[in-house]
Structure formats: C-alpha cells, structure tokens
Amino acid sequence: MDVTRIFERLNEAQRRAVGAPPGALLVLAGAGSGKTRVLTHRIAWLVEAQNVLPPRILAVTFTNKASREMRGRIGKLLQASDDGMRNLWIGTFHGLCHRLLRMHFEEAGLPKNFEILDSDDQFRLVRRVLREQQLDEAYWPPKQMQWMINQHKEEARRARDLPAGEGQQQILHRVYRAYEETCQRLGMVDFAELLLRVFELFRNNQLLREQYQRRFEHVLVDEFQDTNTLQYRWLRLLCDAHKNIFAVGDDDQSIYGWRGARIENLLGFERDFPGAEVIRLEQNYRSSGNILNAANAVIGHNAGRLGKTLWTDAPAGTKVRLYAADNEFDEARFVVSGIAEWVQNGNRRDSAALLYRSNAQSRVFEEQLLSEGMPYRVYGGLRFFERAEIKDALAYLRLISNRDSDGAFERVVNHPARGIGAKTLETVRRRARDQQISMWKAAGESDGELSARAAGALQKFRQLIDEMAAAAAGMDLADTTEEMLARSGLLAHFKKDRGERGETRVENLEELVSAARNFAADDDEDAPDELSQFLANAALEAGEGQAEEWEDCVQLMSLHSAKGLEFDLVFLCGMEEGLFPHQRALAEGNQLEEERRLCYVGMTRAMKRLTLCHAAVRRLHGHERYARPSRFLSEIPDEHIEELRPSRISRIAQTNNAASHLELGRRVLHKKFGEGVVVDFEGRGEHARVRVDFAGGESKWLVCAYAELAPA
DNA sequence: AATCGGGGGCTTTTT
DNA sequence: GCCCCCGATT
C-alpha cells in the first residue's frame, strides 16, 4: 500500500481533503481546481490507505458522463480489475436508485419488470391522464401538470400528503393522484420516482435502511451544489448513521436553480452536519492570470457566497479581449475570422469554443462557419435515444418485453399505418379504462363492438408483436432489433421517405442496431434480461447529441452545456443586457446572481484566450433590438481588458459630452415629441446627431446639441 | 395519411 | 423572424 503515491501529485489543500479523517467534509472546489482529482484520490485513499473495501463506498454524480469518467480514473489509480471495480458503486442518483429498485422491487411495491419513463414518456402519460380526467389541455397544459407533479415528488410529497384543496388546487391534486395510480397500475417509474421510491423505502424499512447505512460507510457526492431537495434528503438519510459524507461542489458554479437545484444544500451543510470540515480548493490550474482575475472580479459582485478567491501560478497571459460588434452578423464574422486565424496558427479547431446564453444564437454562427467551410459541432438538441424514430423502435422493443406497456402500445400500434384509426383506439382505450386492464389486453378482447376489419387489424398487430417476441427468445439483442425493424415495417417506412430527413432516420435506426450489438449487459444471475437492461439504459442514458463526430470541429454550445469543459480559446458571445443576463432572469428579480455565476462558468472555461462579444443591434424574436452591453462586462477591471474596437455605444458619449447620457437603446424624453428610443447616431462633437424612434411611431434625426433630450 | 398553413411561443438541461 | 404543433384539407 503506497500512500505517498496517492499524495504526490496533489497540492496542500487537495491533500488535506483527500486525507481528511472520516466524517462530514465539504470541499469547495473552484473552477479548474482539481475537483475530480480530489474525488478520485479520496476513493483511492480510502481503499489503499484506510483499507476500506470498495463495496463500502458509494459515489454519486449527476451525469453518466461524470460517473464514467470517475470510474475510469479510479480504475487507473487503483489498478483495479473490472471485477474489483464492479463492487464499487459509482453512478448517477438515478442510476443507483434504479439498481436498488431492481434489487428490492418487492419491498418497494413495484412489479419486477417495472419500466422507466423518460421525460417524453412522462409527458405523454400526463396528457393521457388529463384526457381521462376530461380536462381541457388548453386550460391545464400537460407541460405544467408534469412540472407540478415533478415539483411535488422532488419535495417528497405524495398526492395523499396534499390537502384536499379547492378549485384549481383540487383539480391539480386529482391529476397528480390519477397519474400516480396509473403509474402504479402499469408499473411505470418516472425519473423523480426512482429517487422518491428509494427514499421512501429507506425511510419506512428500518432493516433495509440499516443494511445500506452499514454497507455504504463512505458516501461521496460530486457537484453538490446541484442537488435538489429530494437528493439531499436521500443523502442525509443514507449518511444518518455514520455522517461520512464527502461533498464536493462550488457555490459559484450553481447554475441549475431553475430546475430545482438548491444552493442552500451547500450553504447549509455545516448546519446540517455539525462539526463538518470545510476545505477550499482555490488554486486554479486552467486559466491564465488575466482570465482568472477577470472572472474573479465578476463573481465578486455576488453577495451570499461562501467565499473563495481563485489564484494561479500561471503567467498573466493575454488580456481578455472585448469586441463591440455592430450586429449579430458582424459578431459572427469577427468570431469566425478569429477562429480561422487560430487554426492557421497551427491550433486544433476543437480547442476553440463558441459559447452563448441561448441556443437560438447558434444559427448565425453556423451560417458563417458554413460559408467559411469551417467544420463545427453544435451541442444540444435531441439526443440519440430521444429521437422520434428511435423512440418508435424502442416502443416495439418495449412491447416485446412487456405487452402491457400502454405508452409503447399507443405509440406504434398504428405506426407505420396499419389501418388502426382513432376510433378503434378510442374503443380500446375505453375498454382498458373500464376494466382496468392494459390496452394490449383490451385490444385482444372481441366483444363484437368493433368492426370486423378493425378487430382484424388489432389481431394482426398483436400477432406481429407475439411473433417478434417468439423470435427474440432465440436471438441476441442486435438480431432482435434488426428483426423488429424489418417485421414492424418501421425501417421500410422511413426508407421510402426520400430526402435528407428520411436518410438520417434510417441511419439512426441502423445505429440503434449497432448500439444493441455493442451493449454490454450485466450478466449477474439476478440481473434482468438483456432487453430490459437495454431499455432501462436507453431511458437513463439518452446518449450523445449527435453520432460521434471524429472530425476536428469548432465547438458551439450554450453556457450551461459548457460547464465542466475547458478550451484554449473561448468566445463568449451575445453579452448584452436582456440576452445575458437574460430578460427573464432580470424580470424574476432574484435570478441575477445565477446569471452572473453562469458568466463566471463561461469565462473560466478559457485556458489561454478569452474574447467577450456584444452587439449594438440584434434581431431577436423578429425585432431589431438595441441593447446595452452586459453589466457583467463593466464588472471586469480595465486592467484585464483589451478593447478591440471601441463600442459604438461609448462613442456617442465620447464624441459628445453634452449628450453623454445618450446611447443606443436608451429611452429619452423630448419636449415636443415625447418619449422615444435612441436607435442610431452619426457625427461627432456639436454635429452629433441621433435617430430617435418616438412612441407615436415617428422616427427623427435630432442634433444632440439643440434637441435637449432628457433621460426618460 | 400526408401536407399545408395558421397561431403561439420564444432561456438554460439531466436523469 | 423562425420553428413547432395542431387542425383542416386533399
């Protein structure tokens, strides 16, 4: 056991964290401070220096990607065999809960073959429940109902825990209750349910709780600032006996408040775990000095931080560049030419990233990149297992695996078309509802209510699925998938769709076959069959946004997607008030700090060069908008900034002292014309003129020196 | 059953 | 202004 090997590549703070005595420990890990390194080394230290057995350790992450990466790094560190690593539980909250529920489905009150609903499946089920409850979707938007249900679940509230309520409340609760009942009846588990079930299981079952509290003697959590209420309660329950929790997070990088993440979990850690130690990792190994200091200055404007100041040994490097574009096209031209130059200087394209606040901004950049012939990759959008054709194929597989899967039945019973129309389905649906049976079973009953043709079509469909299932029994997963694609007519359906869209869909379906071929199922004796595992995996891990792209590409993504990544060259675009910080965040009032954290996250992605851009004019929602530069820009001290082109906006002020309050987008008041907005300017000194769009619809050029424009 | 067009909406995302 | 969804139309 060579403990020095574990410590030798760590700095002082990292060592303190890795070698801390058991107990509650909060590691505040700044951007680029070696967070994953500390987590992985902590586990190595527990195993090698403390002789903790790997099955005694539980490590929780948020994304599959993070858990894969951690598993890989620990494997290398421990030089453990695959078998040794299998005993080490590393996974996402949802993945771990799924595993626990598979093992304890009975105690959790679930059928053995329970199915996982992804967000889309859940949405469809909610919509179905609404229809069954005779509620008008226009008044009760399924999206909002879904949100409401998840909200309750994340606070560990069941429908039965809610007061009866009145009016709207009463109906909401009725929907929630009906949704719960339907899920239970059909053996469906949505994402939040995975966690809630295990939480309730541990809470209500003392034996099991104590068993797992003993088993997982050491609990480690990554991205702790992203935990929601339920996840945090889940963790506390699990650690209740020993309080050995090693939580790593960064309050400054909390950017998911809008989806339930509670930064309070991090801020209140010392209160919830009395005697907890807090260690700060403040040495940054990523960015050069100017970039880091600029980012520090921005985040310094947030109140209510736990407090941390990152520093670096690295040289100051180039200053943060600031470009004031005329409009979004100018911005795109500037950015793309900057990347072209970077590439000409011998750098890789994929070391350059283009970051923005909202995905819609990517379009202009894409057009420019396309016209310059520069390969790029846009992150975001639908992921592999979320694509319609893939979900269609999965629905067939789900039916093969479980005939009672109503969601799957509804999705493909008439897709491709086989003469089973809306009327027939309505009858089947009603029958299923009345008798509390699945649609599959309802479709199999012949009570003479349906026309012979409709009944025949349903029988044919049932026969098709049965045949596919029978064939599947003697085949492996990939062959089953291939057979299903052929027999169902799905592949043929998309093949006759000429054009690019159909082509991509066929490619995706073919890709699904290779995904099935490469799928490594768990072959424990108590593991579910291969197909069930594949389906669960598809729900829990939606896969990459695009088929793996090996070409060296410029990276385009939202600021949120960029978290956790790093690039030599970063362009942070669209830094305008209203866009970033976003209008909706400003309107909500308390969300400015999260926007600022997002800015901090974006800036700290850059290793060598960071360029910030804003445009004076931007077309947004069909209107030209004149926006002031983001307040975040003015929060960066001048000493770290190099202005590549003075802003047109500040030029108005520079060229005309008398009109220094004038800038594009500013509301002004004119004695005669009333209130308006400054939309353009020209000239300098006493000749400076501005164009003002007045509220009455008139647009006028006014000479600043005479017009006496007052701020509105 | 596919296609057209009107209407609404329009921040960020993982599981 | 663009995109997606839904309903109506062929």
Side-chain angles (χ1 to χ4, degrees), chain A residues 115-128:
Chain A
E115 252 186 274
I116 301 175
L117 299 180
D118 70 15
S119 307
D120 183 56
D121 301 330
Q122 185 190 33
F123 176 81
R124 287 159 186 268
L125 187 54
V126 169
R127 200 170 52 184
R128 189 180 130 183

Side-chain angles (χ1 to χ4, degrees), chain A residues 4-191:
Chain A
T4 50
R5 192 178 58 84
I6 295 174
F7 283 116
E8 69 192 0
R9 286 163 66 230
L10 302 177
N11 67 31
E12 202 270 330
Q14 289 171 337
R15 274 179 207 166
R16 269 193 296 133
V18 167
L25 185 77
L26 175 61
V27 181
L28 287 176
S33 66
K35 171 186 74 124
T36 311
R37 167 170 290 201
V38 164
L39 262 169
T40 51
H41 282 70
R42 171 69 171 187
I43 292 174
W45 182 80
L46 286 171
V47 173
E48 295 203 346
Q50 301 298 103
N51 296 317
V52 175
L53 294 170
R56 288 295 176 91
I57 298 171
L58 179 77
V60 195
T61 63
F62 274 85
T63 64
N64 292 298
K65 193 174 160 214
S67 82
R68 265 195 307 273
E69 186 183 335
M70 203 184 300
R71 179 170 288 275
R73 282 169 71 165
I74 293 167
K76 257 190 209 154
L77 219 49
L78 292 177
Q79 290 165 335
S81 62
D82 285 353
D83 215 43
M85 287 300 290
R86 190 181 299 181
N87 289 323
L88 187 60
W89 280 42
I90 301 177
T92 62
F93 278 102
H94 297 85
L96 295 166
C97 286
H98 175 238
R99 191 165 169 184
L100 288 164
L101 287 179
R102 283 283 176 220
M103 291 165 68
H104 302 290
F105 64 90
E106 254 170 315
E107 293 100 317
L110 288 170
K112 186 170 197 293
N113 62 346
F114 70 85
E115 252 186 274
I116 301 175
L117 299 180
D118 70 15
S119 307
D120 183 56
D121 301 330
Q122 185 190 33
F123 176 81
R124 287 159 186 268
L125 187 54
V126 169
R127 200 170 52 184
R128 189 180 130 183
V129 166
L130 285 166
R131 285 176 188 165
E132 283 178 6
Q133 296 285 316
Q134 321 268 322
L135 293 169
D136 185 352
E137 283 179 40
Y139 287 98
W140 308 93
K143 265 258 131 35
Q144 278 175 39
M145 299 294 104
Q146 182 185 20
W147 184 84
M148 176 270 303
I149 289 167
N150 290 336
Q151 200 69 13
H152 281 310
K153 289 194 179 192
E154 279 174 15
E155 298 287 337
R157 280 193 302 266
R158 292 295 188 184
R160 62 170 177 273
D161 301 329
L162 299 169
E166 288 171 29
Q168 285 213 338
Q169 277 290 306
Q170 193 188 0
I171 294 183
L172 290 178
H173 295 171
R174 198 175 88 206
V175 172
Y176 184 18
R177 180 165 316 208
Y179 172 79
E180 272 189 331
E181 281 166 5
T182 309
C183 285
Q184 186 62 37
R185 186 162 49 80
L186 300 175
M188 307 277 182
V189 175
D190 62 46
F191 286 135

Side-chain angles (χ1 to χ4, degrees), chain A residues 317-377:
Chain A
T318 54
K319 290 190 175 184
V320 175
R321 305 188 309 161
L322 177 63
Y323 181 74
D326 294 335
N327 51 45
E328 69 266 35
F329 303 107
D330 183 36
E331 181 184 48
R333 271 193 298 271
F334 168 76
V335 169
V336 173
S337 74
I339 294 173
E341 192 188 325
W342 171 257
V343 173
Q344 260 159 33
N345 289 336
N347 298 291
R348 288 178 61 86
R349 282 185 284 266
D350 61 11
S351 67
L354 223 158
L355 310 182
Y356 35 76
R357 178 64 178 83
S358 76
N359 290 311
Q361 286 169 256
S362 75
R363 235 193 74 225
V364 183
F365 293 113
E366 287 186 67
E367 281 163 9
Q368 186 65 25
L369 285 159
L370 226 43
S371 79
E372 298 285 322
M374 172 97 62
Y376 64 91
R377 179 181 172 187

Side-chain angles (χ1 to χ4, degrees), chain A residues 6 94 106 135 159 207 216 269 291 320 323 340 355 372 393 454 477 527 551 628 666-667 687:
Chain A
I6 295 174
H94 297 85
E106 254 170 315
L135 293 169
L207 225 63
F216 298 127
F269 188 81
I291 295 171
V320 175
Y323 181 74
L355 310 182
E372 298 285 322
L477 191 58
E551 203 180 355
R628 280 175 292 157
R666 174 60 64 90
R667 300 198 77 81
H687 302 296

Side-chain angles (χ1 to χ4, degrees), chain A residues 662 669-673 688 690 692 694 701-710:
Chain A
L662 291 179
L669 201 62
H670 186 272
K671 272 195 298 203
K672 196 167 145 202
F673 303 120
V690 291
V692 180
F694 287 101
W701 279 101
L702 302 165
V703 177
C704 301
Y706 300 106
E708 292 186 59
L709 289 166

